[in-house]
Amino acid sequence: QVQLVESGGGLVQAGGSLRLSCAASGRTFNNRNNCMGWFRQAPGKEREFVSAISWNGGRTYYADSVKGRFTISRDNAKNTVSLQLSSLKPEDTAVYHCAASPTTRIVTLKDEYDYWGQGTQVTVSS
């Protein structure tokens, strides 16, 4: 089993920044085989892809809505993945979930992710 625990959410004004972190644990978790991703879900909306990073951090991918404002990174020595959120907008308000997919590819479809965290709330006020 793999456990993912997010932290770092909160309330911030538009234009502000937050840094989300996700800690992975579990006997079967292997950094070399996992693409890590971030998704978000706003009330009444589908869970949507935000960003993903390959197992070695060499490749990253972003949704158009966050490109240039969010930055994903990972530290395999610490089994963590982070998402730096900058220039936040009210429409970024959502619960942000970390996810792990057992592949060396970059994946953006939520159905390709096997493990999910409970999420952390990000609220951006106007």
Side-chain angles (χ1 to χ4, degrees):
Q1 275 287 24
V2 174
Q3 293 81 43
L4 303 175
V5 179
E6 303 94 337
S7 62
L11 172 63
V12 64
Q13 288 188 329
S17 299
L18 282 174
R19 186 174 182 85
L20 308 183
S21 293
C22 173
S25 63
R27 289 189 299 171
T28 59
F29 184 77
N30 184 341
N31 278 312
R32 292 184 178 272
N33 293 335
N34 276 280
C35 169
M36 300 297 294
W38 285 93
F39 288 75
R40 66 186 182 185
Q41 188 165 18
K45 294 188 176 182
E46 293 285 324
R47 189 170 296 188
E48 64 174 3
F49 171 79
V50 175
S51 182
I53 187 167
S54 61
W55 71 273
N56 64 353
R59 288 171 290 157
T60 58
Y61 194 80
Y62 298 92
D64 287 343
S65 58
V66 307
K67 201 172 296 182
R69 300 187 298 121
F70 292 7
T71 303
I72 192 170
S73 60
R74 68 189 294 168
D75 184 340
N76 285 346
K78 297 181 180 179
N79 284 355
T80 59
V81 60
S82 299
L83 187 68
Q84 178 69 41
L85 287 61
S86 302
S87 302
L88 282 162
K89 305 175 182 179
E91 51 264 42
D92 294 317
T93 295
V95 176
Y96 284 70
H97 296 269
C98 172
S101 176
T103 177
T104 57
R105 300 178 292 110
I106 284 275
V107 293
T108 63
L109 299 178
K110 57 181 182 290
D111 289 346
E112 293 190 81
Y113 284 83
D114 288 358
Y115 302 104
W116 293 85
Q118 291 298 308
T120 184
Q121 176 71 48
V122 171
T123 303
V124 184
S125 63
S126 56

